[in-house]
Amino acid sequence: MSYFEKVKNTEINPNAIILAVESSCDETAASVIKGGREVLSSVILSSATEHIKFGGVVPEIASRAHTTAISKAVEQAISDAGITLTDLDAIAVTYGAGLLGALLVGVSYAKALAFSLNIPLIPVSHIRGHLSASYIADKNLKPPFISILASGGHTAIIKVDDYYTYDILGQTLDDAVGEAFDKVARVLGLEYPGGPNIEKLAKQGSNNIELPKMLKGKKGYDFSYSGLKTAVINYVHNREQKGESVIKEDVACSFQTSAIDVLVEKALLAVKETGINTVTAGGGVVANGYLREKLTAECEKAGVKLVLPERKYCTDNASMIGAEGYLQYLKGNFANLDLNAKASVSLK
Ligand code: KG4
Ligand code: ZN
């Protein structure tokens, strides 16, 4: 009997122990999660320091770093969880979106392990994983809710109707918000990764530079970050050409305010228009302290329930892949050994 024949009718265990593997960018991550919401371990080995001198992730370097780190990450996750490999019910792996060479390391590893243990392999979308991080934050969270997705590759306001059905209310028409953070950071001479460094600098600055408010205040839920990014770049270059000083702290603070306020505003608009009174958020930019404070304050003011994943579950991690993997496991959505990696996957 083939591997898939053996696993396809696996009896579903509501308390399943799932090993999740994530290797879409520069973090090699492994996590063990029980019943979809209880994180037993979460290991992240990052190759970020190897990319600093290049100003961004170099795919080839990331792939090789995954190759050397993946066994270590999985062994550590299994040992931290206090289990053995034979306790696993399934293996979840990110198959997309991300860097192909990087994804293939996780996909190949997960396939081999699932095959050798004779347990199901669950293909997980990285984007859905970011949204499912909220299930870890609140064990009682149930759809429907409005979610802000804000990462390096995506920016959207999503209506989560049930565990499997999403409605994208609006999304970025050009750059993602995280991408804008990274590009502005580069212009300011800050090291990769740009987001956390902008946040640090912004704490010492003021929101006193006039920047486009993008689509803020306008109807609808779409975003545009390329205009904001260009305005910041032009501001810096114009002042430099005139020999005027650039107060980087103020640029960082003004940019951060413009970039984040619109996200918060659109999420609350969605609450108002749909009548859904719960907001969640996911993606690396949700680790941003200003976003967290502003969203918390606005939700409090409007009497809206807010579920925010801890920072470590906002940036790339494998626990969120386990949380989403569990939902797919309940549906019996298993992959065969020909599972391939995909550079992009649709938001839905
Ligand atoms: O979700 P993520 O880790 O990877 C993707 O799926 O893209 O998001 C990475 C993005 C990067 O653009 C990074 O600069 C941004 O999230 N980011 C932040 C912060 N931490 C990470 N942006 C603003 N403030 C932060 N503290
Ligand atoms: Zn991500």
Side-chain angles (χ1 to χ4, degrees), residues 24 126 130 151 283-284 314-316 320:
S24 66
H126 182 85
H130 274 306
S151 70
C314 292
T315 44
D316 288 350
M320 67 181 198

Side-chain angles (χ1 to χ4, degrees), residues 147-190:
S147 199
I148 300 174
L149 173 65
S151 70
H154 295 89
T155 309
I157 300 291
I158 295 175
K159 179 158 75 73
V160 178
D161 293 314
D162 62 46
Y163 291 109
Y164 303 99
T165 322
Y166 294 174
D167 188 6
I168 299 159
L169 299 181
Q171 58 185 310
T172 183
L173 304 171
D174 39 59
D175 294 355
V177 58
E179 201 181 341
F181 266 91
D182 294 337
K183 284 183 183 157
V184 167
R186 207 185 278 208
V187 170
L188 294 180
L190 303 175

Side-chain angles (χ1 to χ4, degrees), residues 22 24-27 97 126-127 130 150-154 176-182 192-200 256 260 282-289 311 314-317 320:
E22 151 68 39
S24 66
C25 194
D26 58 342
E27 282 91 9
H126 182 85
I127 307 163
H130 274 306
S151 70
H154 295 89
V177 58
E179 201 181 341
F181 266 91
D182 294 337
Y192 166 84
N197 287 327
I198 294 256
E199 179 182 355
K200 235 182 269 166
Q256 178 176 266
I260 300 294
V285 179
V286 181
N288 182 278
R311 282 189 167 85
C314 292
T315 44
D316 288 350
N317 67 91
M320 67 181 198

Side-chain angles (χ1 to χ4, degrees), residues 33 41 47 74 80 99 139 155-156 168 211 227 243 274 295 317 320:
I33 191 161
S41 66
S47 62
V74 169
D80 288 356
L99 304 169
K139 310 263 176 288
T155 309
I168 299 159
L211 291 171
T274 61
L295 188 59
N317 67 91
M320 67 181 198

